[in-house]
Amino acid sequence: MHLKDFENRVVLITGGATGIGRATALAFARRGAKVMIGDVNEQAKESVELIKQEGGEALFKKTDVTKSSDVKSLIDFTIDEFGSLDHAFNNAGVLPPTKDFVDMSEEDFDFVVNVDLKGVFYAMKHELSYFETKGKGTIVNTASIAGIIADPGMAPYVAAKHGVVGLTKAAGIEYIAKGIRVNAIAPGLVETNMTKGWLENEEMRKVVTSNTPIGRPARPEEIAGMVLFLSSDAASYAAGQTFIVDAGQTAH
Ligand code: NAD
């Protein structure tokens, strides 16, 4: 049994086809929210099916977050279909293979920054302008512990995620007095498609999980809880901050 504390609320999730986005979509739906998923990956239809099987409401609109017009259409579609938008989770992201700094091409840099940073900027911009008309709303962005500390071989990802922390601070302080709360989450290692390459290789799995004080990666559901909390009225004084969910990895 779950409390239906998101009943009559509309939630928009980017990157909800798999991983953290899917787990969060399910968690919101179980608490009564109507969920819109925007993703480039058609697998998002499975997320919608899973929600419907549990008696929840969800829709998918194919969306490339690197295109401002796509993101705007997604938000308009959400409001047309569900009558409102209350909570946004800007979560779509990519993590390219690791490379030495000097081997990173302009394309490598643009690919990550376009999805992980510009994609979040576009979403925030359109969401904030709608929330301003209502005088309320919440945004949670997905940063990463790579937005707090650096890992080797991931310079553009580290830069993009630090940028998400920056966008969150900037909008957080600009909008809190207007009734709109903007925060971010910084997950540590999570078992999803993104980390499959590391975690399916036994040797590599040992290396990356040994960095976590708990000795294992998070399940996506263990990240979803923080997103729900930050979106909920229980977090009414939280704004402009990035909340780390890493089993203490960066406290070490
Ligand atoms: P994932 O690959 O399962 O999910 C990423 C989602 O983003 C996918 O559904 C993908 O289709 C979507 N996406 C990618 N490019 C897109 C685009 N241009 N437009 C729309 N959607 C797009 O991996 P995940 O781990 O669930 O990642 C979700 C978020 O969590 C990402 O922002 C990622 O950087 C972040 N994150 C992941 C970890 C981890 O260890 N897995 C750690 C910290 C942060």
Side-chain angles (χ1 to χ4, degrees), residues 14-22 38-41 63-67 89-95 111 114-116 142-146 157 161 185-195 198-199 220:
T14 66
T18 54
I20 296 168
R22 173 180 286 185
D39 204 300
V40 274
N41 184 350
T63 305
D64 181 348
V65 298
T66 67
K67 296 183 180 137
F89 179 37
N90 302 320
N91 165 74
V94 290
L95 172 68
F111 173 60
N114 283 342
V115 180
D116 293 15
T142 303
S144 164
I145 57 171
Y157 185 79
K161 292 300 187 179
I185 53 160
L189 182 69
V190 190
E191 188 140 26
T192 67
N193 284 347
M194 190 171 276
T195 50
W198 299 335
L199 294 171

Side-chain angles (χ1 to χ4, degrees), residues 124-147:
M124 290 174 75
K125 181 178 142 67
H126 298 309
E127 289 153 4
L128 287 168
S129 64
Y130 173 71
F131 287 154
E132 250 190 323
T133 66
K134 298 203 346 165
K136 61 175 184 171
T138 70
I139 294 177
V140 177
N141 298 319
T142 303
S144 164
I145 57 171

Side-chain angles (χ1 to χ4, degrees), residues 50-175:
L50 287 169
I51 289 172
K52 287 188 173 165
Q53 278 165 21
E54 294 186 359
E57 259 188 87
L59 286 169
F60 160 61
K61 186 175 194 314
K62 193 161 182 172
T63 305
D64 181 348
V65 298
T66 67
K67 296 183 180 137
S68 182
S69 58
D70 260 33
V71 179
K72 175 79 170 73
S73 307
L74 173 67
I75 292 164
D76 291 344
F77 182 68
T78 307
I79 296 159
D80 286 348
E81 290 294 319
F82 289 142
S84 177
L85 173 62
D86 302 290
H87 309 286
F89 179 37
N90 302 320
N91 165 74
V94 290
L95 172 68
T98 54
K99 270 189 195 180
D100 287 345
F101 205 116
V102 292
D103 295 330
M104 295 281 182
S105 66
E106 191 177 335
E107 289 74 25
D108 290 333
F109 190 85
D110 286 348
F111 173 60
V112 182
V113 169
N114 283 342
V115 180
D116 293 15
L117 181 57
K118 255 178 146 176
V120 172
F121 169 70
Y122 292 146
M124 290 174 75
K125 181 178 142 67
H126 298 309
E127 289 153 4
L128 287 168
S129 64
Y130 173 71
F131 287 154
E132 250 190 323
T133 66
K134 298 203 346 165
K136 61 175 184 171
T138 70
I139 294 177
V140 177
N141 298 319
T142 303
S144 164
I145 57 171
I148 313 283
I149 57 170
D151 270 320
M154 293 172 24
Y157 185 79
V158 169
K161 292 300 187 179
H162 275 71
V164 171
V165 172
L167 287 176
T168 303
K169 285 180 182 166
I173 60 160
E174 279 185 51
Y175 286 90

